[in-house]
Amino acid sequence: MTLPPVAPAVVADVLDALPPRLRKRIDTALDKAAAWEVTASGESARAELDADTTLTWTLVAGALTTADDLVCSCLLAPRCLHRGVAVAAAPIAADAPADDPADPPPDQVHDGPPGSTPGGTATAGGTATAGSTAPGAMTGLAGTGVAGGVAEALPELPVAVTAGERGAATALWEACTTVLRAGAQGSGAVVRAELLRAVHTARVVGLHRASAAGLRIASALAGARAGDSTFDREVLTAELVDLLLLCHDLRTAPEATSELRGTARREYRPIGSLRLYGLCTEAVVTTSGYGGVVTHLVDDAGGLWTVPAIMPGGPERVSAAAGGPVAVGESGLSHRELGRVGLLLAGGTASPDRRLGAGKAVRAVRASGVRWDADPPARLWAEPVVDQVTRAFQAGTRPDTHRPAGADLLFVEGTVLGAAGSALRLATAAGTLDLIGDGDRTRENLRVLATAGGVDLRFVARLRPDRPGTAVALAVSGDLALPADLQGHVDLGLDRLQRSHVRGDARDLPPRPEPTDRVPPPLRPLENVLHRVTLGGRAVAAVASASRDIATLSRNGLTTTADLLADLALSARDRERDAFGRVVRDAGDAFPTAWLRAGLHVREFTRTVARRSWLDAVSPV
């Protein structure tokens, strides 16, 4: 077996016990762990390194949770290199599982922009029991839907940031700034251990979003040092920007909500009674090993809600989940049925992202459904496409645990123009839109629909921020000859369209050009410096001259970008020296703050350009 996973704090505890001469040797000795043969027996593991040296792990739930539970038989133990290698080369133990075993990490529910991790403390305003009824729950939450739009996330009152939370955020900030100064290639086991210690501290005080981000950074650093082909400097840069900004907000803000703190377990709050109408059921298969379905519902006010059924597995889980029972109440409905009928909900609960809960006090009864051209679903298509695109891009800036249900969805109607490569091209009132599939069944159905040239259809689709004018189709309704059991719409990832269901002409159109640049060309000089610092640390930015790029940016009118690049270059070179001319270790915030400001500028500039490109792509010529 591989090395047993270790808790984040254990890595730092073991390495702290080593004398300085052994700590310096940790990085060069990590390769030795690959030759160790580890055997497990119940809650313990053992590795015989040689005739005189044996490592023994005492595990809790399959992981090493304290430094004392790792014992080495060599003469230098416990301050030996063997223990240091055993924890530094081991994977990091994951967080405790969520309260709902069918609830995967939110960033694994669908493909989209990188999200944050599962998180959650109790809500800022306190935790309500599943059976209680909050004042105004039935009227206040039922009224959060926006006519012709998508509802906001459930409201929440902020609470004061405690001294412990502020201290944990400061520790994480300092650990990340150490990574920036050293770079991914220079952040060895000791730097990674300090980051993991800060991750543990953040987890203890309830900053679960920050601790999860720190774990991802620590994993990326390990991959960079090991030469892992999956390491991506752009991803690591984005993670560092997000975590540094989060730590800055927690250090400076007097109050914070659970959106900043994160949640360890998905929390469900009372929402009272709702009348819900099935919209569609989406097939979900992730690259991280989860599969199932998510059913989308709409309430009387036009607000969206979701009911997931996602479990570890692959594509084989989709069909089973679609035909499986809905966990909300005891309606006796399957997910496939719920997407086409209605639901009367009493004593309901929901998480901040409007995911319905399955508490014991929840009661649900089957009700009649409505077609998409009737209220309340019809209000979703009444919202202008431009407003929908803006809303979807705004949703991408929020963590998945607090992103309102359906905020990244588009509700579009138009006339089929034909096939544009692998996409279905649709002519809408705002312009042309290309619809693609993310699964074999969806792509097959889109090929059938591409033969329906001139037919008017309505789609539910998910916006692709990185591909202007392109969205992933989830469901369709319109001028189709569908069987009665489909009740007016087709779930493209679950149902199968036949040629007899469509009419019209087949047309072939030129495909939309693929975007070539993720970052706008004017930002490349600043982005390149950010990435060089991420990889090589502060010294790399201090060596290279940025004067030519700064002058070019200024001439082109990008004075803010030029100023940020100049500040970053200056702070990288501004090093204090002692009386002997040696560089003094920098512990200030000038350099990491300059790097963070530059990173935020690139991120927001890129998002704005992507949104503008999206709007231009769907606008009439």
Side-chain angles (χ1 to χ4, degrees):
M1 64 172 287
T2 59
L3 291 173
V6 299
V10 173
V11 181
D13 291 342
V14 172
L15 296 189
D16 282 350
L18 298 181
R21 64 180 182 83
L22 291 183
R23 294 182 74 185
K24 294 178 181 178
R25 294 173 53 191
I26 283 289
D27 292 313
T28 58
L30 290 179
D31 292 339
K32 296 181 179 180
W36 294 353
E37 293 185 5
V38 182
T39 57
S41 177
E43 289 299 305
S44 66
R46 178 185 177 90
E48 294 185 1
L49 310 188
D50 54 46
D52 301 319
T53 307
T54 301
L55 278 171
T56 304
W57 290 261
T58 301
L59 308 177
V60 177
L64 182 68
T65 57
T66 65
D68 293 338
D69 289 339
L70 177 60
V71 178
C72 182
S73 63
C74 75
L75 296 177
L76 294 179
R79 305 176 67 193
C80 65
L81 190 63
H82 307 113
R83 296 177 79 239
V85 171
V87 296
I92 303 301
D95 289 338
D99 54 340
D100 185 357
D103 211 11
D107 60 335
Q108 296 171 341
V109 170
H110 59 75
D111 294 328
S116 59
T117 57
T121 61
T123 54
T127 304
T129 58
S132 62
T133 303
M138 295 177 63
T139 58
L141 291 178
T144 56
V146 180
V150 176
E152 292 296 323
L154 300 185
E156 176 188 3
L157 294 176
V159 296
V161 177
T162 66
E165 291 172 335
R166 210 177 302 279
T170 300
L172 259 179
W173 169 276
E174 293 174 350
C176 288
T177 60
T178 301
V179 171
L180 278 183
R181 294 186 178 98
Q185 295 175 340
S187 297
V190 175
V191 173
R192 184 167 170 262
E194 289 304 318
L195 175 59
L196 290 173
R197 186 200 301 278
V199 165
H200 173 72
T201 303
R203 184 185 295 176
V204 169
V205 299
L207 300 182
H208 301 286
R209 179 181 169 190
S211 69
L215 280 180
R216 292 196 298 272
I217 292 173
S219 176
L221 294 177
R225 294 282 295 186
D228 192 337
S229 61
T230 61
F231 171 74
D232 189 333
R233 67 176 186 174
E234 293 184 3
V235 173
L236 178 57
T237 299
E239 292 282 10
L240 283 169
V241 168
D242 289 344
L243 182 53
L244 284 171
L245 178 61
L246 179 60
C247 292
H248 174 272
D249 291 345
L250 289 168
R251 293 169 70 198
T252 57
E255 297 178 327
T257 64
S258 63
E259 185 168 345
L260 281 181
R261 291 182 171 92
T263 52
R265 296 177 181 270
R266 186 176 294 275
E267 183 212 350
Y268 292 88
R269 288 175 272 164
I271 59 172
S273 300
L274 286 175
R275 172 66 163 96
L276 300 169
Y277 304 86
L279 187 66
C280 65
T281 301
E282 174 187 1
V284 175
V285 179
T286 73
T287 57
S288 52
Y290 286 85
V293 296
V294 174
T295 299
H296 299 268
L297 308 167
V298 59
D299 61 26
D300 284 321
L304 290 176
W305 305 80
T306 60
V307 180
I310 303 175
M311 296 288 285
E316 73 282 352
R317 283 289 313 155
V318 172
S319 179
V326 174
V328 178
E330 298 179 353
S331 64
L333 294 170
S334 68
H335 278 268
R336 192 186 293 270
E337 293 171 329
L338 179 60
R340 291 181 163 87
V341 299
L343 199 68
L344 285 172
L345 190 68
T349 60
S351 59
D353 61 349
R354 304 176 70 88
R355 179 180 299 192
L356 295 177
K360 295 181 179 179
V362 178
R363 297 292 180 266
V365 178
R366 176 176 181 152
S368 60
V370 297
R371 305 221 171 186
W372 289 2
D373 54 359
D375 279 339
R379 303 180 194 178
L380 300 172
W381 279 267
E383 183 181 13
V385 173
V386 171
D387 294 343
Q388 295 189 52
V389 170
T390 301
R391 178 249 299 156
F393 270 93
Q394 290 174 345
T397 65
R398 305 188 65 180
D400 289 326
T401 52
H402 290 74
R403 183 181 302 161
D408 58 346
L409 297 181
L410 299 181
F411 302 90
V412 294
E413 58 182 329
T415 304
V416 175
L417 296 179
S422 60
L424 169 71
R425 183 156 296 167
L426 193 71
T428 71
T432 60
L433 178 68
D434 284 357
L435 298 171
I436 61 175
D438 60 356
D440 292 340
R441 178 64 60 83
T442 304
R443 286 188 283 268
E444 291 173 4
N445 286 330
L446 289 178
R447 282 194 290 269
V448 174
L449 290 173
T451 64
V455 174
D456 294 331
L457 298 176
R458 284 187 171 188
F459 283 90
V460 178
R462 175 167 287 112
L463 178 141
R464 284 284 302 269
D466 57 334
R467 294 183 60 178
T470 304
V472 178
L474 304 182
V476 64
S477 179
D479 192 6
L480 301 171
L482 299 178
D485 61 324
L486 293 182
Q487 299 186 33
H489 82 262
V490 175
D491 295 323
L492 294 172
L494 300 175
D495 305 321
R496 188 184 297 276
L497 275 168
Q498 304 293 335
R499 298 284 181 180
S500 58
H501 297 161
V502 301
R503 60 175 179 80
D505 302 322
R507 307 175 190 174
D508 289 328
L509 303 170
R512 192 184 299 268
E514 291 280 349
T516 56
D517 296 318
R518 185 190 61 82
V519 174
L523 287 183
R524 285 178 186 165
L526 183 56
E527 186 201 31
N528 289 339
V529 175
L530 289 172
H531 290 165
R532 287 202 298 266
V533 172
T534 300
L535 280 180
R538 177 177 187 168
V540 175
V543 171
S545 175
S547 57
R548 179 178 298 178
D549 291 330
I550 293 171
T552 301
L553 290 170
S554 298
R555 284 196 305 270
N556 292 336
L558 297 174
T559 55
T560 300
T561 305
D563 291 343
L564 290 172
L565 180 55
D567 289 344
L568 181 55
L570 178 60
S571 64
R573 295 191 183 93
D574 188 15
R575 304 290 297 274
E576 293 185 11
R577 296 181 180 271
D578 60 18
F580 299 99
R582 295 172 299 192
V583 175
V584 178
R585 183 178 182 273
D586 177 23
D589 286 343
F591 172 69
T593 300
W595 187 92
L596 175 59
R597 290 174 61 204
L600 284 173
H601 179 74
V602 171
R603 187 184 75 178
E604 297 307 317
F605 195 119
T606 302
R607 283 178 176 171
T608 302
V609 171
R611 181 173 63 86
R612 185 68 263 169
S613 299
W614 229 100
L615 293 174
D616 290 343
V618 298
S619 298
V621 179

